[in-house]
Amino acid sequence: MFGELPFRKSARAKWWDYDNSASYFITINIRDAHHVFGMIENERMVLSELGLLADRYWKEIDQHNKNIRVDLLQIMPNHLHGILWLNKCEGDLNTRSMHASTLHKTLKSQHHQISPPKESISTAIRSYKSAVSKDAKIYCPDFKWQRGFFDRIIRNSAEYEQIKENILNNPKKWKSI
C-alpha cells in the first residue's frame, strides 16, 4: 500500500491498557548512548546544562498532565529512570498504594490507535521528550533520544520500594568507560 510504514514492534505490554491508573517505572535512553546529561563523580551524578534542563522538564510533567504525578527521577549520563503515577479516577494521587495489583485491569481493545490516549503515560513521555529535544539544541546540536521508552507497570508496594532503591543507587553502580 502506498505510504505504508514498516511494522515496528511495540515495547508496550499487550495485556495492559496504558490509560489505566497505576504507577510506572520509566527508562528513556539517549540515541547511541552519548553521555550528554553529565557525569558520575564519586558515585554521584553531576548534571550538565542539558541534564539540568531534562531534570527541570521532568519535574514539570505534572503541571501539563492533570492526571499524572512525578514521583522520582534519576538522570544518568546517557539515560534517565523515573517513576510516574497515573490516576484516571477521582481521588488522591499521593497514595503509595496505587499499583497495578490493586487496580482494575482491562485488556486493550483490538482496534489500532494511531496516537496514545490523551493524558496517558505515553502522551506525557512524548511531550517531555519533545520539549527537551527542542531546547537541547542550545547545548548539544546533535541531541537525539532513542526511539520510544521502556516502562514497567509497578504491581505492588514491595516492587515499588525495590525499583525506587535501584533508581536512587544507580550512580553508585555506574562503571565509567
Side-chain angles (χ1 to χ4, degrees):
M1 172 183 250
F2 176 75
E4 189 172 313
L5 296 174
F7 175 75
R8 289 185 176 175
K9 185 178 178 185
S10 174
R12 309 283 77 81
K14 296 192 184 337
W15 55 268
W16 182 256
D17 181 348
Y18 282 85
D19 204 24
N20 282 343
S21 298
S23 53
Y24 296 87
F25 169 41
I26 306 293
T27 299
I28 310 174
N29 295 316
I30 301 301
R31 184 178 292 171
D32 300 324
H34 293 297
H35 292 197
V36 296
F37 286 146
M39 60 186 168
I40 305 292
E41 290 183 0
N42 299 320
E43 300 182 340
R44 294 183 59 138
M45 182 64 191
V46 178
L47 296 175
S48 66
E49 292 296 322
L50 183 51
L52 291 169
L53 178 80
D55 180 68
R56 186 179 92 222
Y57 284 171
W58 182 269
K59 292 174 181 170
E60 293 176 0
I61 287 174
D62 53 9
Q63 295 173 24
H64 305 286
N65 300 274
K66 68 179 181 176
N67 295 324
I68 296 177
R69 292 295 171 261
V70 172
D71 183 351
L72 183 65
L73 174 67
Q74 177 61 64
I75 297 178
M76 298 298 288
N78 61 3
H79 67 282
L80 61 85
H81 298 292
I83 296 176
L84 296 175
W85 298 80
L86 174 67
N87 185 11
K88 290 295 199 144
C89 306
E90 296 295 322
D92 185 11
L93 259 176
N94 295 322
T95 177
R96 293 284 189 234
S97 63
M98 191 172 71
H99 302 290
S101 65
T102 61
L103 299 165
H104 177 67
K105 297 178 189 175
T106 60
L107 293 175
K108 291 190 95 166
S109 64
Q110 295 302 312
H111 73 285
H112 175 72
Q113 290 185 346
I114 295 173
S115 297
K118 186 179 179 185
E119 299 177 3
S120 68
I121 293 294
S122 293
T123 300
I125 297 299
R126 182 176 60 191
S127 296
Y128 168 76
K129 288 173 67 174
S130 176
V132 172
S133 294
K134 181 180 175 190
D135 289 346
K137 304 300 182 188
I138 297 166
Y139 307 105
C140 183
D142 298 328
F143 175 82
K144 289 192 174 148
W145 293 106
Q146 181 174 307
R147 177 181 133 349
F149 65 96
F150 300 96
D151 67 84
R152 178 169 178 84
I153 302 142
I154 301 175
R155 291 171 171 84
N156 57 52
S157 294
E159 186 174 305
Y160 168 82
E161 291 299 327
Q162 180 183 16
I163 289 169
K164 180 179 171 183
E165 185 175 329
N166 286 338
I167 290 172
L168 294 174
N169 288 321
N170 207 318
K172 294 176 185 172
K173 297 184 271 181
W174 181 263
K175 303 284 185 204
S176 287
I177 300 174

